Amino acid sequence: DVAKKYYASKKDINEFLKDYPKFEEQSLNKKPNMKQLIKDGNVNIDCRYLNFAPQCQGWMQLTQNGGYGSFIIHWSNIWKLSTAAAIPYYTGKYANSKRGFGFVSITANVDEFHAAANKTKEKINVILDSQTKNMNKSLEKNRNEIEKLIMQMLNDITISTVVMIVLVMIIALLMSSYISKKIENILLGTRKFSNNEFNYRLKITSNDEIGQLENSFNEMANKIETLVKTQNDLNKSLEQKVEEEIEKQRKQEQLLIQQSKLAAMGEMIGNIAH
């Protein structure tokens, strides 16, 4: 239908396409320009006006900036691999065109193009299936061996865990007994101190925290004993001083009594003499 409009316009192709709408009612039900195809041997590949093949995209977009590459199209019920490349030209009226003279395109039936690869793929798939079956058998065998190994490891770990728990319990009981005994000795020392047995000392049997505690107890005991002795000495000295003062007071009282008697006697003699 586009060709009929073009022939009826009697215009140059470029002049005709200048005002003709792009992508006009494209449909798979439309037919290609057989006159152009048979008589001239040309196939239009400008998808903007190729309205009988709306699914064809790529040539104009690919080469509009002088590019090249490949893409897949569906042409006449066949999927084809199409490759296009611009034809650059650097002089004359095409010097400023990125696409140059235009572009060339080559297409190939995708199924035929990939036929050898598809056959190779089928053969590879057969080999892969066979290898997969062999690998599955090997994996199943390895899985059974791994499961046995895991069960054996679980049993070994269980036994080791039980033995470790028993050892930990025994060590805990021994440590508890050891610490309890040490604490009882320290408590005994505190009771003896409360009963004024200040010369009691703990026997240091280790260098651990308990031993440091015993050593601290003994140092404290030494300081307390020294303080108690100092206090006792002070008390004894104080008692002695008190007794001496009392003796002085008693002597002074006797002297006062004696003086009182002498004074009374002197007063009586004086009265008698008077």
Side-chain angles (χ1 to χ4, degrees):
D1 60 335
V2 179
K4 289 179 181 179
K5 295 176 183 177
Y6 163 61
Y7 297 140
S9 69
K10 305 295 183 180
K11 294 181 180 180
D12 176 73
I13 183 64
N14 293 319
E15 186 68 22
F16 171 77
L17 293 178
K18 180 179 179 181
D19 300 322
Y20 192 81
K22 300 175 182 178
F23 306 107
E24 181 193 31
E25 298 180 0
Q26 291 186 327
S27 172
L28 291 174
N29 296 323
K30 295 185 177 183
K31 303 298 181 181
N33 182 6
M34 300 306 296
K35 179 182 178 181
Q36 180 188 21
L37 178 65
I38 296 172
K39 182 179 178 180
D40 300 332
N42 295 325
V43 177
N44 185 7
I45 56 176
D46 190 340
C47 290
R48 297 174 298 176
Y49 309 104
L50 196 65
N51 60 4
F52 72 92
Q55 77 282 9
C56 129
Q57 292 287 332
W59 293 292
M60 296 297 293
Q61 295 90 334
L62 186 66
T63 60
Q64 62 183 351
N65 292 316
Y68 58 90
S70 301
F71 52 91
I72 299 294
I73 62 170
H74 189 260
W75 186 274
S76 302
N77 295 323
I78 297 175
W79 284 104
K80 292 188 176 184
L81 173 65
S82 181
T83 299
I87 307 174
Y89 196 74
Y90 305 106
T91 61
K93 65 178 181 179
Y94 298 106
N96 296 324
S97 172
K98 294 182 179 180
R99 192 181 282 120
F101 281 127
F103 58 89
V104 293
S105 175
I106 301 174
T107 60
N109 188 320
V110 173
D111 292 335
E112 293 179 358
F113 185 79
H114 293 297
N118 289 333
K119 290 182 180 179
T120 303
K121 179 181 178 182
E122 292 176 359
K123 293 180 181 180
I124 292 175
N125 287 334
V126 172
I127 295 173
L128 288 176
D129 290 339
S130 176
Q131 293 295 327
T132 301
K133 291 179 181 179
N134 293 333
M135 288 180 63
N136 288 333
K137 291 181 181 179
S138 299
L139 287 173
E140 186 65 25
K141 182 178 179 181
N142 292 334
R143 186 182 296 109
N144 294 332
E145 293 179 357
I146 290 172
E147 288 178 354
K148 291 180 181 178
L149 180 62
I150 291 174
M151 291 302 298
Q152 183 178 355
M153 290 178 63
L154 287 174
N155 292 332
D156 294 340
I157 291 172
T158 302
I159 295 172
S160 300
T161 303
V162 172
V163 172
M164 288 179 64
I165 291 173
V166 172
L167 289 175
V168 169
M169 292 177 65
I170 293 173
I171 292 172
L173 291 173
L174 292 175
M175 290 295 295
S176 176
S177 176
Y178 170 76
I179 294 173
S180 297
K181 185 176 180 181
K182 293 286 187 178
I183 293 174
E184 288 177 358
N185 290 334
I186 295 173
L187 292 175
L188 177 61
T190 57
R191 286 195 294 269
K192 287 185 176 295
F193 262 72
S194 64
N195 293 329
N196 297 326
E197 297 181 21
F198 299 115
N199 59 346
Y200 180 79
R201 298 292 182 273
L202 296 177
K203 183 179 180 181
I204 300 174
T205 58
S206 63
N207 293 323
D208 54 9
E209 287 80 1
I210 299 295
Q212 294 176 3
L213 183 60
E214 292 171 341
N215 187 48
S216 298
F217 179 88
N218 290 339
E219 291 178 355
M220 179 192 68
N222 291 332
K223 292 180 180 180
I224 293 175
E225 185 179 12
T226 301
L227 290 173
V228 170
K229 287 182 178 180
T230 304
Q231 187 65 37
N232 289 336
D233 293 340
L234 289 174
N235 290 336
K236 289 180 180 180
S237 176
L238 183 60
E239 289 177 358
Q240 185 177 358
K241 289 181 179 181
V242 169
E243 289 179 356
E244 291 176 354
E245 291 295 327
I246 292 173
E247 182 65 23
K248 288 180 180 180
Q249 291 292 333
R250 188 177 62 80
K251 289 181 178 181
Q252 289 179 357
E253 288 177 356
Q254 290 179 355
L255 182 59
L256 289 173
I257 293 171
Q258 186 69 25
Q259 289 177 350
S260 297
K261 289 180 179 181
L262 291 175
M265 185 180 293
E267 185 179 356
M268 182 182 69
I269 292 173
N271 288 332
I272 294 172
H274 179 71

